[in-house]
Amino acid sequence: YRALPGPDRTGRPVHEMRYYPELGMVGMLSMDTQSVHGNEPQHVLEFYNPGQWATKAQSMWFSGSVISAEYLPNHKAVLVSSADLHLRLYDFKTESQKPILEVAAEDTYCLLRWSRQWRQVYAAATNGSVTTWNLDDRKRSMKRGQHYKLHHSSITQMLFLPLDGSIVTSSMDPGLTIQEPHRGELIADLQGHRSAICDITYSEDH
C-alpha cells in the first residue's frame, strides 16, 4: 500500500499510508485541519483492516506538525517525528494523546522506519542523512546511535532488504543507494534517474 500526498475520503491531506505486517493492518497518517490544538492542526494515524476499509480498527491523535509515524512492535508503541525537531513516543494500547517519552532531534526527520532485524529505528532526514535510535525495553529512554550522510537532498523512501538487512534509500537528488546498516557504508549507487525518485518497493518475486 502506498499513498502520494493528497486528500483521503474525509478530505484530510494524507502524509503516509503503509501496511504494518505485525498488526495486519494498514495505517494512514493525515492532517485534520478542522481540529486545532493551540495554533496548530492535529494529525491522526488511523488503522484499517485491509479487508474492511469501511471500519477503522483504531485511531491515534497527535498535536503539532507531525511528519512521519512508525509502529514499534517490540514496544507496542508509535514513534512520531515532527517539524519542531522532536521525536515523541505514544503508547499504542491506550491511544493517549500524551507522549510517554520525548527526545530532541538534531535534524528534521521525514521518514521513520523500524528494522525488525536490527531492532532499532532508522530516521531519514530532509538533509539526506540517516540516524539510528535505540529505545530501552521499559520505554524510559531513547539514545541516538549511528549518523551518516547518504544523499545531498531529502530522502523520500527507505526500506530494508530481507536477505541481509541492507538499507535502500531514494532521494530528491535523484539518487538510489544501498548501504550497510551499521556503518552506512555504500554497497551500491544505482544511477539512471534524471529527476527525484518519489518511492521504491521490494519484490520477492523478481
Side-chain angles (χ1 to χ4, degrees):
Y1 294 88
R2 288 286 189 265
L4 293 176
D8 64 4
R9 61 185 179 182
T10 65
R12 293 193 294 254
V14 176
H15 291 188
E16 287 184 318
M17 184 171 70
R18 298 173 51 218
Y19 177 70
Y20 294 90
E22 298 85 0
L23 297 172
M25 294 188 290
V26 174
M28 184 185 301
L29 177 65
S30 60
M31 180 175 64
D32 188 354
T33 56
Q34 303 300 319
S35 179
V36 178
H37 180 80
N39 296 322
E40 296 182 328
Q42 286 191 306
H43 289 72
V44 58
L45 178 60
E46 297 174 307
F47 293 92
Y48 294 86
N49 184 323
Q52 300 175 345
W53 282 96
T55 305
K56 290 191 294 289
Q58 187 168 340
S59 299
M60 300 183 70
W61 291 84
F62 315 108
S63 301
S65 300
V66 174
I67 301 175
S68 183
E70 175 66 310
Y71 175 70
L72 310 185
N74 286 25
H75 302 87
K76 301 294 187 294
V78 172
L79 184 66
V80 170
S81 64
S82 58
D84 64 356
L85 299 180
H86 278 80
L87 291 171
R88 295 179 176 89
L89 188 71
Y90 296 83
D91 194 326
F92 180 75
K93 300 177 184 178
T94 62
E95 303 182 36
S96 172
Q97 295 188 36
K98 184 177 180 180
I100 57 178
L101 182 63
E102 182 175 335
V103 296
E106 296 181 0
D107 302 311
T108 302
Y109 296 138
C110 51
L111 286 171
L112 300 176
R113 294 293 182 264
W114 166 261
S115 171
R116 286 180 288 176
Q117 184 169 350
W118 308 117
R119 300 171 65 89
Q120 60 185 356
V121 175
Y122 287 77
T126 55
N127 63 7
S129 66
V130 169
T131 304
T132 61
W133 289 86
N134 296 280
L135 178 65
D136 75 305
D137 293 336
R138 296 184 178 182
K139 297 182 285 190
R140 294 180 178 177
S141 66
M142 189 160 52
K143 295 182 179 180
R144 186 176 184 267
Q146 298 292 327
H147 176 83
Y148 34 84
K149 186 83 169 181
L150 301 179
H151 296 276
H152 301 293
S153 187
S154 180
I155 295 175
T156 57
Q157 190 55 268
M158 176 169 51
L159 56 83
F160 305 95
L161 297 181
L163 294 178
D164 59 3
S166 298
I167 308 170
V168 184
T169 55
S170 60
S171 173
M172 299 290 290
D173 293 349
L176 183 64
T177 61
I178 303 176
Q179 300 88 26
E180 188 277 334
H182 296 294
R183 296 176 297 276
E185 296 177 353
L186 185 65
I187 297 175
D189 185 4
L190 308 179
Q191 303 292 329
H193 292 273
R194 296 182 179 180
S195 59
I197 302 174
C198 298
D199 202 357
I200 53 175
T201 189
Y202 174 79
S203 173
E204 295 183 355
D205 297 331
H206 301 88

